[in-house]
Each structure stands twice: as structure tokens, then as C-alpha cells.
Amino acid sequence: MYVVSVINYKGGVGKTTMTANLGAELANRGMKVLLIDLDPQASLTFSFYEPDDWRDRLRDERTVKRWYDGLRGDTPEVALGELVVSPGAANAQLKGAGRLDLIASHLQLVDIDLALARGVADGDEYDAELFRVRGSLDQGLHDPALDPYDLVLIDCPPNFNVVTQSAIIASDHLLIPARADYLSTLGIDYLHANVRELVDRYNADSRRFAKIRRHHKVAPDIAGVVFTMIQLMAQRPVAAHQGYMDQVRALGVPVFPTALRENVTLFATNTPRGVPAVLRDRVTAPAVREELRQITTEFLDHLQPASAVRPTSPVATGADA
């Protein structure tokens, strides 16, 4: 089972859109995919469930907040597998034997993060408790009920808080959606450096605090940066966007060949819930859907380089919008 965190310090970069559509397309190709929404804004959750439906069916018993409550000792512990729900509308559109499931977020998850931070800051066992909390999601994902999944995609909040750190520690790979502008790309180098520092610290702490003798070494890699909301001219990114894309490549951070063009409907907050764009038969911009599928192929190429062939980017081939 691969675990991938989708992360960027900057909000509004298409992180949730990428997570939902990447997961949906992988499921459409036959994989069993679990999405975990760790963002208190719950945008990923609300892309599959109406707010009233979330409130009536999920809010009290079926969100990741309940798991974190148990981690803190506020409520009885619960296994992550008990929180999984299956968005019916999306799964009805899948063509093969794949599956797309979700562990929903909660609007009060931000309070959990603050409580976890306070918890690790008290007493003389600060380092040991911080190590435990950072490694908690990794341990939680070892729930046998989650063994059937091929891939877990974690939608992280746009920060580097304790919850985000726990997602990074649990991950094999990190995927970074970004707009090609100053604010969105500014933090990528800092994020990369902070991830390295976090991983080094966690691995060092594991030698001090791990309860098992041979604690596995954490080593998530950067799957790549996916540029989103790109404006095109003559089927090429406009000069301003291309400049920022080149700057990121100069950092030595991998960049996906395919970029996702700007599309108001796809990135709007009021898009139809239930079925990601990549699964819809009727979309206003079929080129965007093809770009999402192309990005999925490139993503698989990174995970399994021997079993996938990197195709040519639709952005560069002049696909019709």
C-alpha cells in the first residue's frame, strides 16, 4: 500500500481538486483507493457529500476527528478502518473493479491540532510525546481493515502543524500542487527543507523512543510538483507562468510534465458534488479531463516506473479546451 500526502503551504492551489480527481482516476483504473481528509475546511469531504448529509450521517461518528480524539485520550480509541465511508455517486461511475473510499474531515479538526500541540508541550516528556503524535497516523494506517487498499491519498491542510507532520511521517511520497505564481511557489523550497528536517528529527528520535527494537526508517520522497490553473497562449503556458515553472525546476524539485490548465468550473467552490470531473462523461472542458488522466499516468510512472510509460503532455500538444 502506497501512502501519498498532497500538500502545499499555500491554499487555493487546487490541492483538493487534484486529490479527488487523482484518486478517482486511479480507482477507475482498477485500484482500491482511500482518501483521507485532514484539512479542517473539509473541502475534499464536501466534494463528495452535501453539508447536510455530512452533518446527519458523518459528523458525530464517521470523521477523522473521532480518531484523533481517541489518540488524545478524550474518547475511547477507534480504528481508522471503522471511519471509512464509500461515496456512492463516485463509485457508481467506476468502470472496473476499483473502489474509492473516504475518511471524512471535521470542521473542528483545527481544535484537535491545537490540543495535540498543547499536549506535547507540557511536562518533561516533550520529545517522546511529540514522537508518538508524529508517528500516530503511520501506526493507525496499519489497521488490518485497510490492507486491501492499494493507495492512500491524504489531503493535508496548508500548514506544517502537528497533524500535517503526522501525514508526512506516514507517507511514502509527497505530491505538491502549485499555481505558477510568486506566493504559491515561494514556499516549495521551504517545504522541501522542512520535510527533510522533520524526517531527520523523527528518525533520530526513533532510536530513542521507539518501543520496537527495529523501528522502520521514514523516508518520503517528493513525487513532484503539479502546476495547476495554468493560462495558455498558443497551447503553451504564458510567459509569466512559464517563468515560475522554470524557477521550481531550478530548485531540483521534480515537476510533472503535464500541467493543469485554468478552468473556472473545475476549481470553483460550488462545483457539483459527488462525482469528480475526471469521471464525468459530460464536461465543459474535455482537455482538462484528459490532463487529469495524463497526470495520473505520470503519477503512476513515479510510483511504478517499470509498469507505466510517460506520455506527452496535452498542454504541449494543443488539445482542445
Side-chain angles (χ1 to χ4, degrees):
M1 180 174 72
Y2 293 106
V3 180
V4 180
S5 282
V6 186
I7 184 172
N8 193 319
Y9 282 154
K10 177 71 168 60
V13 297
K15 178 171 57 66
T16 295
T17 298
M18 182 57 61
T19 305
N21 283 278
L22 178 60
E25 177 61 15
L26 289 168
N28 202 39
R29 298 186 188 192
M31 296 180 70
K32 294 178 174 60
V33 180
L34 175 64
L35 308 178
I36 301 180
D37 190 357
L38 293 186
D39 193 333
Q41 297 182 63
S43 297
L44 180 64
T45 299
F46 293 141
S47 68
F48 292 99
Y49 290 92
E50 294 287 346
D52 287 346
D53 198 17
W54 170 84
R55 184 183 61 246
D56 295 340
R57 296 176 50 202
L58 306 181
R59 179 183 61 181
D60 295 334
E61 298 292 332
R62 302 295 290 275
T63 77
V64 74
K65 176 181 178 294
R66 185 181 171 203
W67 183 80
Y68 278 110
D69 283 337
L71 177 67
R72 294 171 54 214
D74 294 345
T75 63
E77 292 188 8
V78 61
L80 283 174
E82 298 179 44
L83 305 176
V84 174
V85 295
S86 295
N91 279 281
Q93 297 298 316
L94 301 181
K95 296 178 180 179
R99 191 169 85 224
L100 183 66
D101 291 339
L102 171 72
I103 296 180
S105 187
H106 196 291
L107 302 179
Q108 292 180 350
L109 191 59
V110 64
D111 299 328
I112 294 295
D113 191 83
L114 293 172
L116 288 172
R118 285 195 299 268
V120 300
D122 293 335
D124 297 329
E125 302 297 326
Y126 173 85
D127 289 343
E129 179 64 8
L130 184 57
F131 172 78
R132 183 185 76 88
V133 171
R134 283 172 168 168
S136 59
L137 188 58
D138 182 40
Q139 295 300 312
L141 288 171
H142 283 83
D143 179 0
L146 304 183
D147 288 347
Y149 291 104
D150 301 302
L151 180 80
V152 177
L153 282 175
I154 305 174
D155 189 12
C156 296
N159 52 46
F160 207 72
N161 58 22
V162 179
V163 167
T164 302
Q165 291 175 25
S166 72
I168 292 170
I169 294 301
S171 295
D172 302 299
H173 307 274
L174 307 179
L175 182 66
I176 308 174
R179 298 183 65 169
D181 60 29
Y182 178 73
L183 291 177
S184 298
T185 57
L186 178 65
I188 291 176
D189 196 29
Y190 293 102
L191 174 62
H192 195 194
N194 286 342
V195 167
R196 290 198 303 266
E197 182 179 350
L198 169 66
V199 168
D200 289 345
R201 174 64 183 273
Y202 183 81
N203 286 329
D205 285 346
S206 72
R207 294 190 287 270
R208 301 167 57 196
F209 305 120
K211 294 182 179 180
I212 58 176
R213 181 172 297 179
R214 299 185 65 181
H215 187 79
H216 77 282
K217 185 177 181 180
V218 170
D221 82 316
I222 305 295
V225 175
V226 178
F227 281 104
T228 63
M229 308 184 199
I230 295 297
Q231 295 178 15
L232 302 179
M233 180 175 292
Q235 300 305 320
R236 298 283 180 179
V238 298
H241 285 179
Q242 188 64 60
Y244 287 113
M245 296 165 76
D246 292 341
Q247 287 180 26
V248 171
R249 288 188 177 94
L251 295 173
V253 179
V255 176
F256 278 61
T258 300
L260 194 58
R261 71 186 66 197
E262 176 67 275
N263 181 272
V264 175
T265 301
L266 180 66
F267 294 105
T269 57
N270 60 345
T271 52
R273 294 183 174 91
V275 181
V278 75
L279 296 181
R280 297 180 206 149
D281 292 330
R282 296 181 180 179
V283 291
T284 56
V288 175
R289 183 176 60 189
E290 291 309 308
E291 287 163 4
L292 288 165
R293 291 172 175 170
Q294 197 86 336
I295 289 168
T296 303
T297 297
E298 293 164 8
F299 175 77
L300 284 173
D301 190 12
H302 180 84
L303 265 58
Q304 302 169 328
S307 61
V309 177
R310 188 184 303 278
T312 303
S313 164
V315 168
T317 61
D320 294 331

